[in-house]
């Protein structure tokens, strides 16, 4: 069984933040913010006003050519895409134990579930949430069917009441939990008690409360 290392609590952070997260509320930027809170490392939040189109300014477009959030800046390194940022942070702060070691047998399912979210779960939620009206009903039903099929897989993994990689909380739970929280908000988790309970447990974590409450 893979066991997490002990990690620093928030009150043990260094005073000077090295990491800068470009963030907008109610977007995928909440994922790396949650991740940073779980890691207990110092970071700076730069709120991007999407309504004012700050994300279309030349300086921002140099960091993300499509003008989206989030973006993480770590010294001379710039990373965009929320899952990529979370993976980068997990490896940068490997001693915090939010990713299995490379040689661990849990490393393969770690990659698997992160990409399962990106390629299967998230597109289905997005199609369901974006399409509306009679014309789009057939497309919505296809999205719902894909989501239901995928969540049966997740239910089997989480039926024991643990986390995606067993007993240990990991980066995978940040990503899966964020997706399922979105799915619940758009009405896709009705009657799915195992997954709703999993989301409730994750959102009750102090780091999640800080990230989602911000």
């Amino acid at each position: 069984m893979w066991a997490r290392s002990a990690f620093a609590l928030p009150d043990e952070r260094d005073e000077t933040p090295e990491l800068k997260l470009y963030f907008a509320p109610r977007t995928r930027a909440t994922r790396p913010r949650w991740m940073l809170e779980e890691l207990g490392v110092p970071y700076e939040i730069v709120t991007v006003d999407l309504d004012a189109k700050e994300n279309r300014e030349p300086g921002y477009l140099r960091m993300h050519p499509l003008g989206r959030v989030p973006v993480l800046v770590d010294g001379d390194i710039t990373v965009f895409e929320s899952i990529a940022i979370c993976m980068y942070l997990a490896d940068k702060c490997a001693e915090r134990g939010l990713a299995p070691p490379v040689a661990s047998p849990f490393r393969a399912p770690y990659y698997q579930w992160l990409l399962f979210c990106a390629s299967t779960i998230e597109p289905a939620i997005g199609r369901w949430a974006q399409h509306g009206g009679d014309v789009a009903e057939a497309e919505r039903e296809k999205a719902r069917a894909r989501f239901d099929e995928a969540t049966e897989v997740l239910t089997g993994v989480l039926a024991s009441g643990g986390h995606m990689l067993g007993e240990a909380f990991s980066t995978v739970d940040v990503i899966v939990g964020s997706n399922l929280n979105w799915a619940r908000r758009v009405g896709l988790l009705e009657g799915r008690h195992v997954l709703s309970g999993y989301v409730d447990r994750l959102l009750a974590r102090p780091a999640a409360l800080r990230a989602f409450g911000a």
Side-chain angles (χ1 to χ4, degrees), residues 123-135:
I125 301 170
R127 280 192 290 270
W128 170 266
Q130 290 173 6
H131 290 284
D134 294 338
V135 174

Side-chain angles (χ1 to χ4, degrees), residues 155 158 184 189-201:
T155 298
L158 295 165
R184 184 161 67 176
L189 284 194
E190 293 179 7
R192 296 193 172 276
H193 304 298
V194 168
L195 299 184
S196 288
Y198 169 71
V199 173
D200 288 340
R201 293 196 305 276

Side-chain angles (χ1 to χ4, degrees), residues 18-19 42 49 59 70 78 91 101 108 136 141 145 164-165 184 204 210-211:
E18 298 178 356
L19 301 161
D49 189 336
T78 300
D91 287 342
E141 288 308 313
M164 286 299 299
L165 297 183
R184 184 161 67 176
R210 291 191 296 271

Side-chain angles (χ1 to χ4, degrees), residues 77-198:
I77 297 171
T78 300
V79 189
F80 58 80
E81 290 295 335
S82 63
I83 296 178
I85 293 171
C86 289
M87 294 174 72
Y88 172 81
L89 289 169
D91 287 342
K92 177 181 174 68
C93 305
E95 73 281 0
R96 267 48 173 192
L98 287 184
V102 173
S104 166
F106 286 91
R107 191 73 177 195
Y110 169 78
Y111 291 135
Q112 170 186 285
W113 294 123
L114 288 171
L115 294 177
F116 183 72
C117 273
S119 64
T120 304
I121 297 287
E122 191 166 325
I125 301 170
R127 280 192 290 270
W128 170 266
Q130 290 173 6
H131 290 284
D134 294 338
V135 174
E137 190 60 30
E139 185 64 26
R140 294 184 82 238
E141 288 308 313
K142 287 180 184 178
R144 179 61 183 258
R146 293 189 189 104
F147 179 81
D148 288 346
E149 183 178 43
T151 51
E152 287 298 323
V153 176
L154 295 181
T155 298
V157 175
L158 295 165
S160 64
H163 296 94
M164 286 299 299
L165 297 183
E167 292 302 314
F169 176 88
S170 74
T171 305
V172 178
D173 297 296
V174 171
I175 301 305
V176 174
S178 296
N179 272 277
L180 292 180
N181 184 45
W182 178 26
R184 184 161 67 176
R185 292 201 313 269
V186 298
L188 285 173
L189 284 194
E190 293 179 7
R192 296 193 172 276
H193 304 298
V194 168
L195 299 184
S196 288
Y198 169 71

Side-chain angles (χ1 to χ4, degrees), residues 16-70:
T16 305
E18 298 178 356
L19 301 161
K20 185 179 292 187
L21 179 66
Y22 288 81
F23 172 87
R26 297 176 297 281
T27 69
R28 292 174 178 87
T30 303
R31 300 170 183 178
R33 185 163 196 173
W34 180 7
M35 185 75 180
L36 286 160
E37 290 292 340
E38 291 284 355
L39 291 169
V41 295
Y43 68 97
E44 177 185 351
I45 283 287
V46 180
T47 300
V48 180
D49 189 336
L50 302 181
D51 291 334
K53 300 191 183 301
E54 290 181 350
N55 58 312
R56 306 307 302 174
E57 293 178 359
Y60 193 85
L61 291 173
R62 282 195 291 272
M63 295 187 296
H64 194 316
L66 298 181
R68 296 173 183 165
V69 290

